[in-house]
Amino acid sequence: MKTSTNLSILALSISLTFMAAGVSSQDSVTPPHKQSVTNNALNNSAVNEMTNETEKANALFETIFMEELMTDPMEQTRLGMKTHYGEWGNVGEAADNEKLKRAKQYQLQLNKIETQQLDSQTLLSYQLLSQKLKQQIANDKWRYHNYPVSQMRGSHAGMVSFLINHHAIDNLDDAKAYISRLNAMPKRLNQVESQLRVRANKGIIAPRFIFPYVISDSQNIITGFPYDKKEPNVLWQDFNKKVKALKLPHRTEQALLDSAKKALIEKVQPAYSQFINYINQLSKRSNNEAGVWKFPQGNNFYDAALNKTTTTQLSADEIYRIGLAEVERIHDEMRVIMKKVGFKGTLQDFFVHMRNSKEFYYPDTEQGKNDYLNDATALIDNMALRLDDSFKIKPKAPLTVKRVEAFREKSAGKAFYNAPSADGTRPGIYYANLYKMEAMPKYQMEALAYHEGIPGHHMQLAISQELEGIPKFRKFGGYTAYIEGWGLYSEYFPKEMGLYADPYSDFGRLSMELWRACRLVVDTGIHQKKWTREQGIQYYVTNTPNAESDAIKMVERHIVMPSQATAYKIGMLKILELRQKAKQALGDQFDIRDFHTLILSNGALPLNILEDQVNNWIQASKS
C-alpha cells in the first residue's frame, strides 16, 4: 500500500539520518575553533572542508529533529509515521526536564560547528536552530505560565480529535494501536491533572469562565453508546467506521469492537469522570481575573511571550498603539464601501446592519451548513486556477474543507487549518466552525477561505513540508508571526488580483483585517493594561461588525493564549513593508511571483531573518 511504502522510506531515512550524523547526546564537547575565511578563491581543500562541515551540520540538524520527534508519538503520527503508534507520550515535570536537558546538549553540539565553512542555506539553518534553542532555554523559567487545559487546547479534547483525524486504521495492527491509545487515556489525563496541581500551587489557575467549557467537552466524550442509549459515542463511532472499512473476518472484527467497547467503559469513562471531578474542584479556586499580569512576574512573562510570538522587539505599548492606528485606518476604508453601497448612517449603524441582516448569513440548518462548505470549497478551487498569476511555486498536497466535529464545535475557534501528513496520505484540512452560523457571515467567507486554504495556510505549510534540501526542523517547524502574517497577507493581495469584486466581500476582507487590528489592542489591553474580559468583548462589539458570540470567543482565546493573536497583524505589516521596500528598490525588475517564491521557499522564518533574506534578494537582483 502507498502508506506502508512511504513509511518504509521514511523509516529508512530515519535510520540513515542517525548513521550519517555520527553524533549522540553523550558526545564530549569542545569550544568551536575560530578561523576566518579569506576573500581569495577557495582552494580544493577548503571546498572539501566546506562540504564536509555542511554535511556534518545537516546530519546534526536531522539527528536533533529525529531525537525530538521520537519522544513524541503524537507528532510521529501527524507526520504519517506509525512508530509508537499505540502511545501518547508523556507530559509534565519529568518530560519538561528532559526536554530542557536535551536542548542544552543540542546547543553544545551546535557550538562545535565551524560556521565560517557552511554554505548559505546551511548557515541559515544553523542560525534558526541556534536562535530557537537559545530562546527555548531562556523561556524555560516560564514553563508553568500557561493553562494545560482550556477551551482552545488540552489533552482532554485533543486526544479525541487526534484519534479521529490522525490515527488511521489501515490494518489489524493499527486497530490494536487505537485500542492501546484508548487504554492509555487514563495515564495521560492523570499527567494533565498533575500539571494543573503544580500550577495551582503556584497560584496559576485559569479564569472561572474556562472551566465550564472543559467540563462540557469532557462530558461529551463519555456520552452516547456504549455509555448510554443515546446516539453512538464519538470515539465508538469513529472506531467502528474505520474498522468496518477493513472488511476483516467477522470474528476478528467483533473481537476488536469488543476490546474497544471494554476500553471505553472500563478505562476512558472512569478516567474522564475523575478528571471532571478534579476540574470542578479546581474551578472553585479560580476567579475572573483575565490577564497574565496576575501570574508571578506576569509582566516579564508577557514581554517574553510577545518577543517569541512576533519575533520582534516591539513592546506591549508599541503594539497597542499600532493596533489603534490600524483600527482607525480600516474604519476609514470601510466608510468608503459604506457610501459605495448607499448605506445611510454611521459606521456603527452599518456594523449593526451587517451583523443583523439575514441576507448576509446562511440558514442555521444542515442544508445551510452544507452550502457554506460547498461555497467555501468553490472559492478555493477558483483561486487554485488563478495561482499562476501570482506564484511560481505551488503545493502538491490536496486540500479539503471540513466542519469542526460536533463534540468540540461549541468551544473551538471560528476556523483553523491542519497540515497534510508528510507521507501524502492525509490532505490539508480547512476546518470551518459552523456551530452558530451567525458567526460565519457570507461576506467574510472569501477572505476566510483564502486565509485558511489557498493561498494562505495550506499554500505555505504544505509547500514548507515539500521543500527539498532543507532540514526537517525547518520543514515542520514554525513561527507564528510568519505563518499567521502570511495568512493575513493572503487575505489582502487577492484584491490586487481582481478578486473581492462584490463590495460586501471587500467589506468582509476589511472586517477580517479589522478583527486582527483589534487583536493588537485587546491582547495588550488584557495582559498588560489589566482590561477585564467584559472590556475586551465590548471593544470588539463596538469596533467591528462581528457577532457578539465571535467577540466572546476571541476574548476568551486572548485570555488563554497570551500574545498569540498579535502575530497576525505584526506579521502581515512586516511582509507588506518588505514588499514595498523591494518594489521601490527594484522598480521594473520587481516581479510579485519572485517575491512570493522568496517568502515561501525557505519555510517559516522569524521576521528579523525574513527581512535579512529580502535585503539579500534585493542586493542580488540589483547586481
Side-chain angles (χ1 to χ4, degrees):
M1 294 177 66
K2 183 179 178 182
T3 300
S4 60
T5 300
N6 285 334
L7 291 172
S8 297
I9 293 171
L10 187 53
L12 178 60
S13 170
I14 295 168
S15 175
L16 292 175
T17 292
F18 282 113
M19 291 170 62
V23 178
S24 77
S25 59
Q26 305 303 316
D27 283 346
S28 60
V29 176
T30 56
H33 177 58
K34 305 293 185 181
Q35 181 179 355
S36 62
V37 178
T38 67
N39 291 326
N40 297 330
L42 295 171
N43 58 32
N44 289 337
S45 175
V47 170
N48 288 335
E49 287 179 10
M50 178 176 286
T51 302
N52 291 338
E53 201 65 14
T54 291
E55 290 175 352
K56 175 183 172 184
N58 280 296
L60 178 58
F61 301 153
E62 293 301 290
T63 296
I64 290 173
F65 176 84
M66 294 309 305
E67 283 185 0
E68 284 301 293
L69 180 60
M70 298 315 287
T71 69
D72 189 345
M74 294 177 73
E75 188 62 18
Q76 292 163 36
T77 300
R78 290 188 188 99
L79 296 183
M81 299 166 60
K82 291 187 177 179
T83 45
H84 307 108
Y85 207 44
E87 303 172 21
W88 294 111
N90 295 311
V91 294
E93 189 79 354
D96 289 343
N97 287 339
E98 286 299 314
K99 190 173 184 67
L100 177 63
K101 180 180 177 181
R102 291 194 303 272
K104 290 179 177 179
Q105 186 63 48
Y106 298 152
Q107 190 176 55
L108 292 174
Q109 290 174 304
L110 278 183
N111 288 342
K112 298 171 69 175
I113 300 296
E114 300 276 6
T115 56
Q116 300 93 335
Q117 297 180 34
L118 301 179
D119 62 35
S120 59
Q121 194 61 254
T122 306
L123 180 60
L124 175 59
S125 298
Y126 177 94
Q127 292 168 337
L128 290 171
L129 185 54
S130 182
Q131 179 176 310
K132 177 184 175 183
L133 290 170
K134 182 179 179 181
Q135 188 174 62
Q136 178 185 337
I137 293 166
N139 284 339
D140 182 71
K141 62 184 176 182
W142 310 118
R143 68 162 68 172
Y144 305 110
H145 285 53
N146 55 59
Y147 304 128
V149 296
S150 70
Q151 81 282 13
M152 297 298 298
R153 55 175 60 162
S155 293
H156 65 294
M159 287 190 291
V160 179
S161 61
F162 176 88
L163 285 171
I164 293 170
N165 294 302
H166 297 288
H167 189 114
I169 297 181
D170 299 316
N171 53 49
L172 180 62
D173 286 342
D174 293 349
K176 291 178 179 178
Y178 193 113
I179 295 167
S180 293
R181 279 177 161 155
L182 292 178
N183 283 314
M185 278 182 162
K187 178 183 176 182
R188 180 67 167 223
L189 287 175
N190 283 336
Q191 290 179 337
V192 173
E193 185 175 322
S194 295
Q195 287 184 300
L196 291 166
R197 290 182 187 278
V198 169
R199 284 158 179 76
N201 291 337
K202 296 178 181 294
I204 298 175
I205 301 175
R208 189 166 292 139
F209 78 85
I210 288 174
F211 293 94
Y213 290 123
V214 176
I215 291 168
S216 174
D217 286 351
S218 298
Q219 288 175 333
N220 288 342
I221 291 163
I222 51 173
T223 297
F225 184 85
Y227 304 120
D228 53 47
K229 296 182 180 180
K230 297 179 181 178
E231 292 296 313
N233 168 266
V234 63
L235 286 170
W236 176 253
Q237 187 177 42
D238 180 61
F239 186 75
N240 263 264
K241 178 182 177 182
K242 290 174 179 176
V243 167
K244 288 183 183 300
L246 295 179
K247 301 189 182 305
L248 296 168
H250 176 73
R251 181 178 296 180
T252 304
E253 178 183 289
Q254 192 58 49
L256 289 172
L257 294 176
D258 289 344
S259 294
K261 184 177 180 181
K262 181 179 180 181
L264 288 169
I265 293 172
E266 297 183 6
K267 297 290 185 178
V268 176
Q269 186 179 40
Y272 271 91
S273 296
Q274 177 184 319
F275 181 72
I276 290 167
N277 287 337
Y278 176 71
I279 294 298
N280 271 314
Q281 295 170 23
L282 186 61
S283 69
K284 296 172 184 176
R285 299 173 58 184
S286 66
N287 57 39
N288 291 321
E289 292 176 345
V292 296
W293 51 264
K294 69 180 182 178
F295 291 176
Q297 294 185 289
N299 289 332
N300 291 337
F301 161 69
Y302 187 56
D303 288 342
L306 287 173
N307 174 260
K308 181 180 179 182
T309 293
T310 69
T311 60
T312 71
Q313 297 301 315
L314 290 170
S315 68
D317 282 331
E318 288 172 320
I319 291 172
Y320 180 80
R321 289 195 296 271
I322 290 170
L324 290 175
E326 284 294 287
V327 168
E328 184 177 356
R329 176 187 65 78
I330 297 167
H331 278 173
D332 287 342
E333 291 190 31
M334 286 178 154
R335 290 186 181 97
V336 173
I337 292 178
M338 185 176 74
K339 291 178 181 177
K340 184 183 293 186
V341 299
F343 183 85
K344 306 297 182 184
T346 67
L347 182 60
Q348 277 65 36
D349 292 335
F350 193 50
F351 287 167
V352 173
H353 170 66
M354 299 299 290
R355 191 181 298 144
N356 296 336
S357 296
K358 291 185 178 180
E359 64 182 292
F360 299 122
Y361 298 88
Y362 291 83
D364 200 358
T365 62
E366 284 303 306
Q367 183 61 50
K369 294 175 182 184
N370 287 333
D371 287 346
Y372 186 100
L373 295 176
N374 292 334
D375 290 347
T377 300
L379 284 167
I380 291 170
D381 290 345
N382 178 62
M383 173 59 80
L385 296 174
R386 303 187 56 164
L387 285 179
D388 288 342
D389 296 344
S390 299
F391 293 92
K392 293 181 178 178
I393 183 172
K394 291 183 284 189
K396 299 174 184 175
L399 172 68
T400 188
V401 183
K402 287 182 67 174
R403 210 177 138 176
V404 175
E405 301 90 352
F407 83 90
R408 59 173 177 158
E409 65 180 354
K410 184 177 180 180
S411 60
K414 182 186 184 85
F416 48 94
Y417 172 78
N418 278 3
S421 61
D423 67 349
T425 59
R426 187 185 68 248
I429 303 172
Y430 159 28
Y431 279 103
N433 191 341
L434 306 182
Y435 176 64
K436 286 189 175 181
M437 296 308 292
E438 68 178 20
M440 301 294 277
K442 294 178 181 179
Y443 57 81
Q444 288 184 352
M445 182 171 60
E446 188 171 0
L448 196 60
Y450 298 153
H451 180 108
E452 301 294 347
I454 295 173
H457 287 327
H458 180 66
M459 189 92 169
Q460 185 266 311
L461 290 166
I463 286 173
S464 180
Q465 289 185 184
E466 293 162 5
L467 291 174
E468 297 180 357
I470 68 170
K472 292 186 182 72
F473 83 86
R474 287 174 58 187
K475 290 186 179 187
F476 302 109
Y479 298 88
T480 310
Y482 170 95
I483 292 171
E484 297 298 354
W486 175 260
L488 187 49
Y489 172 77
S490 295
E491 294 177 23
Y492 166 77
F493 83 81
K495 181 174 174 63
E496 299 174 338
M497 299 169 65
L499 298 169
Y500 299 112
D502 174 30
Y504 287 112
S505 279
D506 199 26
F507 176 84
R509 174 189 67 82
L510 285 171
S511 73
M512 297 274 285
E513 186 180 1
L514 175 63
W515 192 250
R516 279 40 167 269
C518 288
R519 286 177 175 179
L520 300 183
V521 179
V522 180
D523 200 278
T524 52
I526 287 171
H527 295 296
Q528 196 233 20
K529 301 182 184 302
K530 300 186 178 181
W531 285 16
T532 63
R533 171 180 175 272
E534 289 66 34
Q535 281 177 286
I537 293 169
Q538 188 57 51
Y539 185 85
Y540 278 113
V541 171
T542 302
N543 288 284
T544 77
N546 290 58
E548 184 179 14
S549 60
D550 239 3
I552 291 169
K553 278 194 173 186
M554 190 64 242
V555 170
E556 293 177 346
R557 171 175 157 183
H558 283 296
I559 292 168
V560 301
M561 300 172 69
S563 85
Q564 190 271 346
T566 65
Y568 300 69
K569 203 72 178 71
I570 297 301
M572 176 202 190
L573 289 172
K574 176 57 71 174
I575 292 172
L576 286 172
E577 173 196 319
L578 295 175
R579 194 181 79 164
Q580 184 59 29
K581 182 177 183 179
K583 272 186 173 182
Q584 290 178 342
L586 298 179
D588 292 341
Q589 285 182 270
F590 180 82
D591 185 330
I592 190 66
R593 296 172 301 168
D594 291 332
F595 177 78
H596 288 159
T597 297
L598 173 70
I599 299 297
L600 294 173
S601 61
N602 286 306
L605 298 173
L607 296 184
N608 62 316
I609 292 182
L610 181 66
E611 185 165 10
D612 290 340
Q613 292 293 304
V614 172
N615 288 337
N616 293 340
W617 176 65
I618 291 171
Q619 292 303 316
S621 298
K622 281 183 174 181
S623 61

